[in-house]
Amino acid sequence: MEAREQEWATLMLAALAGDEAAYRSVLQALTVFLRAEARRGFARYGRGGADVEDVVQEALLAIHLKRGTWRTDEPIGPWVRAIARNKLIDSLRRGGKRINVPIDDVIETLPAEPPSEQLNERDAGEVLSKLNGRQREIVQSISINGASIRETAAKFAMSEGAVRVALHRGLAALSKIYRNEEP
Amino acid sequence: MKTENLIQALSADLATRPTPVPRAVFQALWAGVPIALGILIFALEVRPDIWTVIANPRFLFKFMFSLSALAAGLWLVLRLSRPGTPAGPALGMLAVSAGLLLLAVGTELVVLPSGNWLPALMGDRALACMVLIPTLAAAPLAALLYTLKAGAPDSPQLAGAAAGLLAGAIGATLYASHCTNDSPLFVATWYVIGISAVTVIGWLIGGRVLRW
């Protein structure tokens, strides 16, 4: 436990200093933890695992958007667990209500292959489809298509700064969509 | 979107820095306090005899009380706006503030003949005090509730109430230099009602706007 949290803290410190690779590593490590927490929480309240990945993604978004609330001189474990608990409770309160999206909006983002057996990699494309057009294209380009900021800027004939702003706003909007608020 | 894809997007957004909570609070005070100060100076005016009462223990106590409440509010806001950080030791500061008030009220009851208790408590501008403390607190509270969206409170209501306490204490501190009622009995009643009202408003609005 201690060693794992020490690892998170070390990676997060490097990330806050601008190390993107360290940031990816800590987010991946946190994903494993968050997924286990969400599964355990859903099991305790007799909920199926269908929404586990939504909670994981919501918590990751919160960790990202609120990383300024971690005080680097304090242990990171309680901070992460508090965010995980908050997002789990939010999800349980919503009672697993699915976010309603017209099917036409979803169709183009649905995966072509049949649903995989791995529950934990369930596609959460429906939240992306609620973003407005350009934001969705940019978030999709960087997340799903794995393009860099520069490549995305070239593709949409935008400045890199404008892509960064749109990406950030898109991620903040995703976080709101998960909470059923207007983005 | 798979979680791995989301992580890709999050790491691409690493360069956009979030605002730490202390800076958010500082920004709010920087924006809100000058407005409250302007209302005090230009609409209410500082009491004209301020230099003759400056060493009066009753007058000074008003500031001891309001500044200790301000410190408690500030500490509570900084703690309650971060996840996994309960009020903890900041409640001690609130207890200090309440203790100061009790001590002053006790002293006043001893030194003041009982026939003067009620007039001292009622003062001559009780209603104004109740209304003007929230008025002076309005801009700081609005600014705090706006910038504290950078926080991630375990309880948006409690974080909002802490912001209300901080703003209310700022309002009380400024109002104390305008108000000519200096008895601790007056402060313990009307100042406390004014600050509490702002705290409740912060609780109500915080519960709506500080969700994350």
Side-chain angles (χ1 to χ4, degrees), chain A:
Chain A
M1 182 65 107
E2 272 305 310
R4 180 180 66 178
E5 289 179 10
Q6 195 53 54
E7 173 84 5
W8 293 349
T10 309
L11 287 170
M12 190 60 107
L13 276 173
L16 294 178
D19 183 341
E20 248 185 69
Y23 197 42
R24 262 195 299 276
S25 302
V26 70
L27 292 178
Q28 279 156 357
L30 289 171
T31 298
V32 174
F33 168 78
L34 293 169
R35 206 173 270 152
E37 284 290 291
R39 284 228 181 84
R40 196 172 314 142
F42 277 7
R44 192 181 312 137
Y45 292 95
R47 277 263 304 276
D51 297 333
V52 163
E53 212 58 15
D54 286 316
V55 175
V56 170
Q57 295 197 5
E58 214 189 327
L60 283 173
L61 275 164
I63 284 168
H64 173 70
L65 294 169
K66 303 298 185 180
R67 63 194 186 282
T69 63
W70 175 49
R71 269 182 54 172
T72 52
D73 56 345
E74 288 185 355
I76 198 170
W79 179 76
V80 168
R81 280 193 294 276
I83 290 176
R85 191 174 54 240
N86 271 293
K87 291 302 170 190
L88 182 67
I89 290 171
D90 281 355
S91 171
L92 290 168
R93 279 207 188 118
R94 288 195 296 264
K97 261 182 304 192
R98 302 300 310 142
I99 300 158
N100 285 321
V101 178
I103 188 69
D104 290 347
D105 291 359
V106 186
I107 230 94
E108 56 179 328
T109 54
L110 283 175
E113 68 274 349
S116 79
E117 290 300 304
Q118 296 170 279
L119 191 57
N120 60 21
E121 285 296 321
R122 201 183 63 76
D123 200 302
E126 64 269 37
V127 287
L128 261 192
S129 68
K130 283 200 86 175
L131 290 180
N132 73 39
R134 184 40 65 91
Q135 269 180 6
R136 177 178 57 193
E137 285 167 0
I138 284 168
V139 173
Q140 192 163 328
S141 163
I142 291 166
S143 63
I144 294 176
N145 306 341
S148 67
I149 299 260
R150 182 174 300 166
E151 288 160 357
T152 306
K155 184 169 145 195
F156 295 110
M158 294 167 72
S159 72
E160 290 185 28
V163 170
R164 282 182 198 285
V165 169
L167 172 66
H168 185 73
R169 294 205 178 135
L171 293 172
L174 276 184
S175 172
K176 284 190 172 165
I177 289 166
Y178 268 121
R179 302 198 299 275
N180 293 336
E181 287 176 21
E182 286 300 309

Side-chain angles (χ1 to χ4, degrees), chain B residues 80-161:
Chain B
L80 293 175
S81 297
R82 292 188 291 119
T85 315
L91 283 179
M93 193 64 222
L94 198 58
V96 166
S97 189
L100 279 173
L101 192 60
L102 285 178
L103 201 67
V105 166
T107 311
E108 181 78 331
L109 292 180
V110 170
V111 301
L112 212 60
S114 60
N116 291 355
W117 287 356
L118 194 61
L121 187 151
M122 294 311 295
D124 55 0
R125 304 198 59 205
L127 185 67
C129 171
M130 260 192 320
V131 173
L132 291 175
I133 286 179
T135 303
L136 289 167
L141 180 62
L144 280 166
L145 290 172
Y146 181 75
T147 64
L148 282 175
K149 289 185 209 293
D154 285 333
S155 160
Q157 286 93 346
L158 281 182

